[in-house]
Amino acid sequence: AARLYQMWQRLGIGDLSGVGLQAESAGIVPDPANVAWQSIDLVNRSFGQGVAVTPLQLARAFAAMVNGGALPSLHVYSSVDGEPVTVPDPTQVLSPELSATLRQLMVHVVDAGPNYAEETLIPGYVVGGKTGTAQIWDTRNNEWMPHIYNHTFVGFVGAERPEAIIVVRIHEAQPEGRGRDQYRIELTSNELFRRVALDTIDVLDIPPLPAGVPQQSEEPSVGVPSDGPQVDATAAPMAAGR
């Protein structure tokens, strides 16, 4: 439990991001040093159940996971009253080797499954990410909402390296079916990610991979800009100056 919590802390999960927005939430991330975890807590929290994180935290942590291990400093404005805002340099929280492994795992997730690939991949670009499905607690009835979920996708898109981090959420999605192979929703979170990613490519003017270069490479190369990744709450550009 302590080891998992320490990794969360390294990735900024459970802490304010410092983005400069009022009323930002730190999420709900129990510290096992204050309240001992039960065995089931460790099992559930290892895949995200029993904790609550913000989209900003997801974007920031995911950036560190795929950009070479550097946790970026978030900001939503470049100046105040004409004075430039000083943004701290990124903090190295993961080894470049671990980041490369995590990045390739995220590529594999969307590349290996036929449904994932069809709904997520973009010709000419490297894409990686992961879906999430969360139950919703009904505070009025003090129980989980039946057959209603929050669906998320956090991922990256780029050419020769990740250029942007994108987090999307579909709030209170209601699937059409409940049995095996019958679970369907009108719009999946990875398809929504793909739509946002296409617009992001257009806005940031990200060129596709050169002809002859594999779209989903075994080891996509990611460099960490010397002045750090730039991040915002919806689509987070990871190249300096974008």
Side-chain angles (χ1 to χ4, degrees), residues 106-129 153 156-158 190-191 193-195 197-198 201 215-217:
M106 296 302 101
V107 169
H108 176 75
V109 165
V110 300
D111 199 29
N115 292 337
Y116 262 26
E118 181 180 355
E119 296 178 345
T120 314
L121 297 184
I122 300 173
Y125 294 88
V126 175
V127 176
F153 190 97
F156 66 83
V157 63
N190 43 312
E191 171 61 22
F193 162 86
R194 185 177 185 273
R195 295 183 186 185
L198 287 169
I201 290 169
Q215 178 176 332
Q216 300 289 85
S217 63

Side-chain angles (χ1 to χ4, degrees), residues 7 10-12 57-72 74 90-96 98-100 102-103 165 222 224 229 231 238:
M7 179 56 72
R10 289 169 64 180
L11 293 172
Q57 289 173 339
L58 276 179
R60 188 184 186 207
F62 202 86
M65 290 168 61
V66 303
N67 74 358
L71 187 68
L74 306 191
T91 303
Q92 195 73 27
V93 295
L94 302 175
S95 70
L98 177 56
S99 174
L102 293 172
R103 186 170 64 250
I165 297 292
V222 174
V224 180
V231 179
M238 296 180 63

Side-chain angles (χ1 to χ4, degrees), residues 105-160:
L105 284 173
M106 296 302 101
V107 169
H108 176 75
V109 165
V110 300
D111 199 29
N115 292 337
Y116 262 26
E118 181 180 355
E119 296 178 345
T120 314
L121 297 184
I122 300 173
Y125 294 88
V126 175
V127 176
K130 183 66 182 73
T131 55
T133 304
Q135 293 173 283
I136 305 170
W137 185 252
D138 186 339
T139 56
R140 177 174 298 178
N141 296 315
N142 203 34
E143 63 181 2
W144 296 110
M145 291 184 179
H147 311 297
I148 299 177
Y149 307 92
N150 287 334
H151 290 262
T152 58
F153 190 97
V154 55
F156 66 83
V157 63
E160 296 184 359

Side-chain angles (χ1 to χ4, degrees), residues 12-235:
I13 294 174
D15 293 328
L16 296 176
S17 69
V19 71
L21 298 176
Q22 289 186 338
E24 181 190 0
S25 173
I28 303 173
V29 183
D31 184 347
N34 297 330
V35 179
W37 292 10
Q38 301 302 312
S39 297
I40 190 63
D41 293 330
L42 179 58
V43 172
N44 289 344
R45 290 167 182 166
S46 68
F47 60 83
Q49 194 173 57
V51 296
V53 302
T54 69
L56 280 175
Q57 289 173 339
L58 276 179
R60 188 184 186 207
F62 202 86
M65 290 168 61
V66 303
N67 74 358
L71 187 68
S73 300
L74 306 191
H75 64 288
V76 295
Y77 46 83
S78 58
S79 64
V80 176
D81 295 331
E83 293 295 326
V85 173
T86 300
V87 181
D89 291 335
T91 303
Q92 195 73 27
V93 295
L94 302 175
S95 70
E97 293 78 15
L98 177 56
S99 174
T101 298
L102 293 172
R103 186 170 64 250
Q104 183 52 31
L105 284 173
M106 296 302 101
V107 169
H108 176 75
V109 165
V110 300
D111 199 29
N115 292 337
Y116 262 26
E118 181 180 355
E119 296 178 345
T120 314
L121 297 184
I122 300 173
Y125 294 88
V126 175
V127 176
K130 183 66 182 73
T131 55
T133 304
Q135 293 173 283
I136 305 170
W137 185 252
D138 186 339
T139 56
R140 177 174 298 178
N141 296 315
N142 203 34
E143 63 181 2
W144 296 110
M145 291 184 179
H147 311 297
I148 299 177
Y149 307 92
N150 287 334
H151 290 262
T152 58
F153 190 97
V154 55
F156 66 83
V157 63
E160 296 184 359
R161 64 182 181 86
E163 296 274 0
I165 297 292
I166 300 169
V167 180
V168 300
R169 184 182 73 158
I170 301 174
H171 185 60
E172 296 188 3
Q174 294 181 275
E176 297 175 356
R178 300 178 185 177
R180 182 179 176 88
D181 298 327
Q182 297 178 357
Y183 187 95
R184 298 287 187 274
I185 59 175
E186 184 175 351
L187 176 67
T188 64
S189 58
N190 43 312
E191 171 61 22
L192 178 58
F193 162 86
R194 185 177 185 273
R195 295 183 186 185
V196 176
L198 287 169
D199 287 340
T200 301
I201 290 169
D202 184 55
V203 171
L204 297 182
D205 193 23
I206 303 174
L209 287 164
V213 176
Q215 178 176 332
Q216 300 289 85
S217 63
E218 288 299 317
E219 286 293 340
S221 175
V222 174
V224 180
S226 60
D227 54 350
Q230 306 296 309
V231 179
D232 65 42
T234 304

